[in-house]
C-alpha cells in the first residue's frame, strides 16, 4: 500500500511508462515513508476523447501528456500529502518531461480492514503487517 492508478492518454512507449512509474514510486517512498517494495501500481490508458480534464477555473493549461494519479492509502498527515504533490510535480517534470500543469493527484483514504494482499487474509488485521 498505497495502491496507485495512473490514468494516461494513450501513446506513451514502454520505457516512458516505466520511468513514470519508477519516478512516482520514489516520490511516494520519500513522502510517505513506505518501504521500497511496498509498490502497487496500475496503468490505465485512454483515447484522448475519453478524458475530459479541465482546470476548475485555475487557468491551468493541460496537454496530452496529462497524468491523473489516484492514490488509495491509509490516512496520511497533510504535510506528507503536500510533500508528495510537490515531489511528483518536480520529479515528473525533471525525469519524464511532464509539466506540473499536467499532474493531477487525488488521494482516497481507507483503513486497515480495507486491504487484503492475498491468501484471503486481512494482513493488517491479523498482525502479518
Amino acid at each position: 500500500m498505497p495502491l496507485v492508478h495512473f490514468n494516461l492518454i494513450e501513446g506513451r512507449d514502454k520505457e516512458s511508462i516505466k520511468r513514470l512509474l519508477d519516478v512516482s514510486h520514489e516520490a511516494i517512498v520519500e513522502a510517505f515513508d513506505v518501504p521500497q517494495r511496498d509498490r502497487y501500481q496500475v496503468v490505465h490508458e485512454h483515447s484522448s476523447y475519453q478524458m475530459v480534464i479541465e482546470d476548475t477555473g485555475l487557468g491551468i493549461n493541460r496537454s496530452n501528456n496529462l497524468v491523473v494519479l489516484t492514490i488509495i492509502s491509509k490516512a496520511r498527515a497533510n504535510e506528507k500529502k503536500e510533500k508528495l504533490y510537490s515531489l511528483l510535480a518536480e520529479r515528473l517534470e525533471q525525469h519524464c518531461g511532464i509539466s506540473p500543469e499536467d499532474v493531477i493527484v487525488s488521494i482516497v483514504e481507507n483503513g486497515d480492514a480495507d486491504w487484503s494482499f492475498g491468501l484471503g487474509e486481512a494482513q493488517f488485521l491479523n498482525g502479518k503487517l
Side-chain angles (χ1 to χ4, degrees):
M1 172 183 83
L3 171 61
V4 186
H5 291 270
F6 295 79
N7 286 282
L8 314 171
I9 294 174
E10 62 190 1
R12 289 176 166 88
D13 59 41
K14 280 198 255 187
E15 294 78 23
S16 295
I17 292 174
K18 180 172 182 348
R19 188 168 42 255
L20 169 64
L21 297 177
D22 290 346
V23 169
S24 298
H25 180 65
E26 289 304 320
I28 290 168
V29 166
E30 184 175 334
F32 284 179
D33 299 315
V34 297
Q36 188 67 31
R37 288 186 47 87
D38 196 353
R39 186 171 182 172
Y40 302 90
Q41 298 172 311
V42 181
V43 174
H44 308 273
E45 294 186 277
H46 309 273
S47 298
S48 61
Y49 69 89
Q50 293 175 313
M51 292 182 70
V52 178
I53 308 295
E54 296 186 359
D55 68 353
T56 314
L58 296 171
I60 298 172
N61 295 311
R62 311 278 188 212
S63 77
N64 281 350
N65 212 19
L66 180 72
V67 177
V68 179
L69 292 94
T70 304
I71 301 171
I72 303 168
S73 175
K74 69 178 186 177
R76 309 280 177 179
N78 287 342
E79 295 79 19
K80 289 187 176 209
K81 292 176 185 179
E82 290 178 317
K83 181 176 182 179
L84 178 61
Y85 304 147
S86 177
L87 288 174
L88 285 169
E90 173 188 313
R91 293 185 183 170
L92 291 176
E93 181 174 40
Q94 181 180 21
H95 299 288
C96 302
I98 299 170
S99 168
E101 292 184 321
D102 281 328
V103 179
I104 298 175
V105 182
S106 177
I107 297 175
V108 179
E109 295 180 343
N110 65 11
D112 290 349
D114 300 313
W115 292 94
S116 172
F117 294 93
L119 305 174
E121 300 176 4
Q123 288 86 352
F124 286 128
L125 297 180
N126 68 16
K128 291 185 178 178
L129 285 176

